[in-house]
Amino acid sequence: MYDKVVLVNDEAHKLYREDLILGEDGRIVFRKRRRFQEFLGASSFEDSSCIITKGPWVKFGLELPGYIPVREPLQNWFQVAMHSGVDFRDPLGLEARYKGFLPVRLTLDAPRLLQERTGMIVMEDDPCFEFTDYLLLIYDRANYNSFIYEVQSLLERRLRTSFGRVVRDIEGNTIMVSDSVTDQAMMLMPIDLLPGGKDYVSQKWKEVIEI
């Protein structure tokens, strides 16, 4: 599909500059978990108003392939996504230094009493893969308050155009947003909610990795 560089342990640490491990399967797992919260849009039939509700926080681990596309100099997957220059249909009208996306799938652990939920964000480099269901959209150095405002505006627009009571994909997956701790605001968006769906994502992802 494209030329790849398989990373060894030292290269992975140097490229990502995070606490990570290189597993026996060759995939990279980050030790630090990232917090995301569900943002759910609902419309009221009585006065046509839109209501944005927030679910509990979920701490997601992150797992990436242990290889990267050939670049000179080498770039990690976040850099590949954000520095590609590909014209992607961004669902948020948000100003950011760089924007990008990674195709991923989510897994959620069984909830534990009185504890925050946990799960994994697993990146797949082929969005045609059967279980890829989300995009991880990344907004580098974006204003976080503006980010949240744009997410809420997105939900309201979706409600007005879909005539539905709730914004979620056909499997019941909903939009999730990261906390404000880092300089990179992130949104997990079901691929089915993006105009063009998986076909559009596949086309644009091929442009990103083969640029």
Side-chain angles (χ1 to χ4, degrees):
M1 185 166 64
Y2 61 94
D3 293 330
K4 304 174 183 179
V5 176
V6 178
L7 299 175
V8 297
N9 192 61
D10 289 346
E11 288 175 325
H13 280 86
K14 182 179 179 180
L15 275 176
Y16 288 101
R17 298 182 182 179
E18 288 199 43
D19 188 10
L20 55 83
I21 57 173
L22 199 59
E24 292 182 1
D25 58 357
R27 292 181 65 85
I28 293 171
V29 179
F30 292 81
R31 294 181 188 273
K32 179 183 176 182
R33 289 182 174 264
R34 289 159 167 79
R35 291 195 348 142
F36 284 80
Q37 187 176 31
E38 179 184 68
F39 270 50
L40 187 66
S43 60
S44 167
F45 276 88
E46 285 131 15
D47 56 6
S48 299
S49 63
C50 298
I51 304 165
I52 308 300
T53 59
K54 300 175 185 178
W57 287 98
V58 181
K59 277 191 174 179
F60 283 107
L62 180 63
E63 180 184 307
L64 302 176
Y67 50 80
I68 48 178
V70 172
R71 296 285 191 276
E72 184 57 48
L74 291 180
Q75 297 177 351
N76 65 42
W77 276 113
F78 297 109
Q79 293 168 329
V80 168
M82 291 190 290
H83 297 180
S84 66
V86 170
D87 183 20
F88 180 73
R89 192 182 297 141
D90 178 18
L92 304 184
L94 184 67
E95 292 294 325
R97 186 175 69 163
Y98 296 108
K99 298 180 182 181
F101 73 94
L102 297 172
V104 300
R105 58 185 170 90
L106 298 189
T107 61
L108 278 172
D109 303 328
R112 297 178 182 177
L113 189 63
L114 302 179
Q115 289 188 12
E116 201 166 41
R117 295 202 68 182
T118 59
M120 288 293 293
I121 299 171
V122 182
M123 183 205 148
E124 304 291 352
D125 65 329
D126 182 1
C128 294
F129 184 67
E130 182 181 359
F131 300 111
T132 299
D133 51 3
Y134 269 85
L135 290 185
L136 178 63
L137 293 136
I138 310 161
Y139 301 90
D140 188 48
R141 303 286 176 89
N143 178 279
Y144 189 76
N145 289 332
S146 298
F147 169 63
I148 296 299
Y149 173 81
E150 290 295 335
V151 171
Q152 293 175 331
S153 296
L154 168 67
L155 288 168
E156 291 174 2
R157 290 195 303 271
R158 296 283 309 185
L159 286 166
R160 291 194 175 96
T161 57
S162 65
F163 304 103
R165 290 182 65 94
V166 175
V167 176
R168 56 165 59 101
D169 76 355
I170 57 176
E171 300 295 332
N173 300 313
T174 57
I175 290 170
M176 304 187 79
V177 301
S178 66
D179 63 17
S180 59
V181 172
T182 70
D183 286 336
Q184 291 181 343
M186 298 182 183
M187 177 173 69
L188 286 163
M189 183 175 188
I191 287 179
D192 288 346
L193 292 185
L194 190 77
K198 189 170 285 191
D199 289 343
Y200 176 75
V201 172
S202 299
Q203 171 199 335
K204 290 301 178 181
W205 182 243
K206 185 176 180 181
E207 293 178 23
V208 169
I209 58 180
E210 296 184 357
I211 203 163

